[in-house]
């Protein structure tokens, strides 16, 4: 096996732990947004390191669309049980049932955008004043604009043109009543850093990240997992494929990639060779040129 014990990973780890400890010091009711995806798993791993030997002093929050991958949900529940973490689940289905949001219809319908209302309602219900997110600047151009401490106004909205400077990693968490912050401790990590760190630290991840056989279909060049939540067009054909997922989100907007990577070492090698960003298979980012930034301004992750 190749030696992935890289010095820069220790530097990134140290920076991230510093950010997490700053969050704990400056805010009264923080939480960690947790989806069962690799980035939120790393954030939880870093939080455990930051406060060891004590437990992580804030809850995990998952905004469940009801259309998530079963592997990610099972992993989420198992991890919370293993480490005795307090898990809070905000349900998009509840938001639909109570009339807070209207579900999209049609072949390209997705619940992904509906998460924003459920997230903001969950923040209000539990009075969270800061939420850790696993977003990274290399993922998408809107996320590249974020600070470590990202201010949200009383409506949960983000103004990319009015952000606070963070010179010398001095973070300003001052806020008015009703406002909150999103905190991104792994902002400076790349996808390659994430996978090398998972390999180095031997971090458990959902099986969905490894190559497996799954019934899929292709739409507009994207490989989708066959599911009852995505209606098939008459010309679309379901067939078994060897795939894995580079990113895990709502099943209706998350594409798979053809792959033979059955181990962490093989995933690292595959990522090193790819020229397509991991969010290149996320259809929610392609609804418009500024799809991610528009969602973030409204209060999205």
């Amino acid at each position: 096996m190749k030696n992935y014990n890289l010095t820069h990973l220790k530097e990134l780890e140290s920076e991230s732990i510093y950010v997490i400890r700053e969050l704990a010091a400056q805010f009264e009711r923080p939480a960690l947004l947790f989806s069962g995806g690799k980035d939120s798993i790393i954030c939880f791993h870093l939080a455990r390191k930051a406060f060891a030997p004590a437990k992580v002093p804030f809850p995990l929050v998952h905004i469940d669309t009801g259309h998530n991958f079963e592997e990610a949900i099972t992993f989420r529940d198992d991890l919370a049980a293993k480490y005795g973490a307090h898990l809070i689940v905000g349900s998009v289905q509840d938001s639909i049932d109570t009339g807070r949001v209207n579900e999209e219809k049609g072949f390209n319908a997705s619940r992904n955008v509906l998460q924003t209302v459920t997230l903001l309602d969950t923040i209000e219900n539990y009075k969270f004043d800061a939420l850790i997110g696993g977003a990274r600047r290399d993922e998408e151009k809107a996320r590249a604009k974020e600070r470590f401490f990202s201010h949200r106004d009383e409506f949960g909205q983000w103004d990319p043109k009015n952000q606070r400077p963070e010179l010398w990693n001095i973070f300003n968490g001052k806020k008015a009543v009703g406002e909150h912050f999103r905190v991104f401790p792994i902002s400076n990590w790349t996808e390659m850093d994430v996978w090398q760190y998972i390999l180095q630290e031997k971090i458990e991840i959902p099986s969905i990240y490894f190559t497996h056989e799954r019934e899929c279909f292709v739409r507009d060049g994207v490989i989708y997992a066959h599911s009852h939540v995505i209606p098939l067009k008459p010309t679309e054909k379901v067939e078994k494929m060897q795939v894995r997922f580079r990113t895990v989100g709502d099943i209706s907007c998350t594409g798979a990639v053809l792959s033979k990577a059955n181990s962490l070492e093989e995933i690292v090698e595959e990522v090193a060779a790819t020229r397509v960003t991991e969010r290149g298979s996320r259809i929610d980012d392609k609804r418009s040129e500024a799809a991610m930034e528009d969602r973030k301004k409204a209060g999205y992750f």
Side-chain angles (χ1 to χ4, degrees):
M1 186 179 86
K2 293 183 179 180
N3 179 17
Y4 289 106
N5 188 19
L6 304 177
T7 302
H8 82 281
L9 294 181
K10 291 298 181 184
E11 295 174 354
L12 288 171
E13 178 189 71
S14 178
E15 177 183 63
S16 299
I17 288 175
Y18 169 74
V19 173
I20 292 170
R21 287 174 175 165
E22 277 292 302
L23 164 127
Q26 294 195 39
F27 299 101
E28 295 180 1
R29 296 183 64 85
L32 192 160
L33 292 170
F34 190 86
S35 64
K38 64 184 187 307
D39 298 311
S40 58
I41 291 169
I42 280 188
C43 286
F44 182 68
H45 180 84
L46 291 165
R48 287 177 54 227
K49 283 197 168 190
F51 303 108
K55 287 186 177 181
V56 174
F58 39 74
L60 306 181
V61 175
H62 182 215
I63 305 304
D64 186 358
T65 67
H67 293 171
N68 297 97
F69 288 95
E70 182 179 345
E71 295 94 329
I73 297 299
T74 299
F75 185 92
R76 177 202 71 184
D77 294 342
D78 290 347
L79 179 139
K82 179 178 180 180
Y83 294 106
H86 179 203
L87 175 63
I88 295 170
V89 178
S91 170
V92 171
Q93 184 63 56
D94 287 348
S95 298
I96 295 171
D97 293 343
T98 57
R100 292 285 292 146
V101 294
N102 295 316
E103 188 160 19
E104 296 180 353
K105 306 295 182 183
F107 290 113
N108 297 311
S110 172
R111 287 187 174 184
N112 192 62
V113 71
L114 306 185
Q115 295 179 89
T116 298
V117 171
T118 309
L119 171 61
L120 295 178
D121 286 348
T122 302
I123 293 171
E124 175 63 24
N125 290 339
Y126 289 90
K127 306 302 180 185
F128 293 128
D129 56 1
L131 293 101
I132 293 175
R136 309 187 322 271
R137 293 187 178 119
D138 79 317
E139 288 182 278
E140 203 273 342
K141 57 188 178 183
R143 286 184 166 170
K145 299 177 181 180
E146 290 274 22
R147 301 289 194 263
F148 281 108
F149 275 30
S150 183
H151 176 261
R152 296 299 195 270
D153 66 19
E154 61 182 316
F155 301 106
Q157 297 179 333
W158 172 63
D159 182 358
K161 296 181 180 179
N162 185 26
Q163 298 191 79
R164 299 172 182 180
E166 292 182 340
L167 303 176
W168 306 290
N169 276 4
I170 297 176
F171 305 130
N172 181 357
K174 292 182 178 180
K175 59 179 179 55
V177 175
E179 299 176 346
H180 72 277
F181 277 77
R182 308 290 171 84
V183 177
F184 304 109
I186 62 170
S187 285
N188 287 336
W189 297 47
T190 65
E191 183 187 12
M192 177 61 83
D193 295 329
V194 166
W195 285 113
Q196 288 179 330
Y197 188 72
I198 289 172
L199 174 59
Q200 180 174 287
E201 296 286 301
K202 299 181 174 59
I203 299 172
E204 293 183 23
I205 56 174
S207 60
I208 198 169
Y209 283 111
F210 299 98
T211 293
H212 57 284
E213 186 175 79
R214 184 181 290 265
E215 288 190 340
C216 300
F217 68 95
V218 179
R219 177 180 295 173
D220 299 327
V222 176
I223 301 172
Y224 288 91
H226 178 47
S227 168
H228 70 280
V229 308
I230 312 177
L232 289 172
K233 296 179 180 180
T235 57
E236 291 171 341
K237 178 183 178 183
V238 176
E239 56 184 307
K240 291 183 178 180
M241 301 181 185
Q242 294 293 321
V243 299
R244 73 176 192 89
F245 292 84
R246 292 174 67 189
T247 178
V248 176
D250 187 279
I251 199 169
S252 64
C253 60
T254 304
V257 294
L258 296 174
S259 175
K260 297 180 179 179
N262 288 309
S263 68
L264 290 173
E265 290 87 351
E266 290 175 341
I267 289 176
V268 168
E269 293 176 1
E270 184 178 273
V271 171
T274 189
R275 293 296 177 266
V276 178
T277 174
E278 66 191 287
R279 292 194 69 94
S281 58
R282 289 292 294 266
I283 306 306
D284 47 329
D285 291 352
K286 299 180 180 180
R287 290 195 167 193
S288 71
E289 183 66 24
M292 172 64 83
E293 183 161 328
D294 291 341
R295 295 202 308 277
K296 287 177 72 64
K297 287 178 180 178
Y300 186 75
F301 307 107

